[in-house]
Amino acid sequence: MEQLTVLGSWPSPYAYRVLWALELKGVEYEYVEEDLLNKSDMLLKYNPIHKKIPVLIRAGKPIVESPVIIEYIEETWPQNPLLPQDPYEKAMARFWTKFCDDKGLAFTLFFIGVGEEQQKAAKEVMEALKTIEEKALRDKKFLGGDEIGMADLAWGVLATSWGVIEPIVGMTIFDAESFPRLHRWAQNFREHPVISKNLPDLEKLLVNYTRKREMYLGAKIA
């Protein structure tokens, strides 16, 4: 069997996308934890352009960027598909996955922003959540239908680390009253037998994200 290695960082939602995809496929791999404040020679060797995680290494060949990695996983291991067979439905799954990544800046500014900047980001995030609930999820169990798909992996941050982000910033925008279907989706996602065994430790995440926000705010003041 060819060696498969994932370079990741445990707080990263992008790394979890890749781990969840491999776990759902039942693919064995070696996980290597990276210290992003002291990047390893291995990370710099296999991702010399962006120097970021996640990185998937197969037989010495690296694949980088989580959307690209997941597409590679889907094409390489077709079992337990993350994309539907129908061309239109497949295109829509990719669209909603990209929609999540396109909103990445708004999610980040909600977390590290203050004042008007944060309020503007909060509004954009809420609009994105409303769009996902009404246009993508509708009455389905998962964005992928009856099973978790590619778009679910992208939006998995809502079901995991988002639960510590709101307490840290002191603002709640993803509440069950405003987004009842998305909250049911988040519960279904967390309770999936594969996902439930591969979730970040929320207490550790709270400490990590609190420190990260303080670091960003300190840099802004400086």
Side-chain angles (χ1 to χ4, degrees), residues 130-194:
K130 182 178 180 181
T131 298
I132 279 291
E133 182 171 80
E134 294 181 356
K135 305 295 185 182
L137 181 61
R138 299 191 296 275
D139 294 318
K140 296 180 292 186
K141 183 177 182 180
F142 296 111
L143 294 168
D146 292 332
E147 300 294 337
I148 288 176
M150 186 178 291
D152 295 282
L153 301 184
W155 289 92
V157 62
L158 285 178
T160 54
S161 53
W162 195 257
V164 304
I165 289 175
E166 289 183 330
I168 291 172
V169 303
M171 185 189 307
T172 300
I173 59 176
F174 180 41
D175 60 281
E177 184 175 350
S178 300
F179 303 102
R181 285 172 287 178
L182 265 183
H183 266 263
R184 285 195 297 272
W185 164 84
Q187 183 174 351
N188 290 333
F189 186 85
R190 284 191 300 268
E191 292 178 352
H192 187 282
V194 170

Side-chain angles (χ1 to χ4, degrees), residues 1-127:
M1 177 184 289
E2 293 178 317
Q3 173 131 12
L4 194 68
T5 304
V6 177
L7 307 185
S9 177
W10 71 266
S12 169
Y14 298 101
Y16 273 100
R17 292 186 192 184
V18 174
L19 300 181
W20 288 333
L22 290 170
E23 293 287 345
L24 288 165
K25 296 280 189 181
V27 177
E28 294 185 4
Y29 60 93
E30 176 191 8
Y31 176 76
V32 176
E33 178 70 17
E34 280 289 333
D35 179 357
L36 299 182
L37 297 178
N38 184 26
K39 297 177 182 179
S40 72
D41 291 340
M42 189 177 188
L43 176 59
L44 298 179
K45 173 185 176 182
Y46 285 112
N47 192 1
I49 297 175
H50 296 305
K51 304 176 178 64
K52 298 191 301 184
I53 56 92
V55 180
L56 180 71
I57 307 165
R58 186 184 185 202
K61 296 180 179 178
I63 303 98
V64 302
E65 299 294 324
S66 60
V68 178
I69 294 172
I70 292 174
E71 288 277 4
Y72 176 85
I73 290 171
E74 176 72 352
E75 291 184 16
T76 305
W77 295 282
Q79 69 271 23
N80 303 326
L82 299 172
L83 287 171
Q85 293 298 309
D86 179 79
Y88 174 78
E89 295 299 332
K90 185 179 294 186
M92 293 309 298
R94 288 185 169 124
F95 172 83
W96 292 118
T97 299
K98 186 176 185 301
F99 182 72
C100 178
D101 291 333
D102 289 345
K103 296 300 177 181
L105 179 59
F107 279 93
T108 300
L109 291 178
F110 174 76
F111 175 52
I112 65 172
V114 292
E116 184 178 346
E117 180 184 54
Q118 187 186 53
Q119 291 291 337
K120 183 179 178 181
K123 181 179 179 182
E124 185 175 348
V125 170
M126 290 185 71
E127 289 174 351

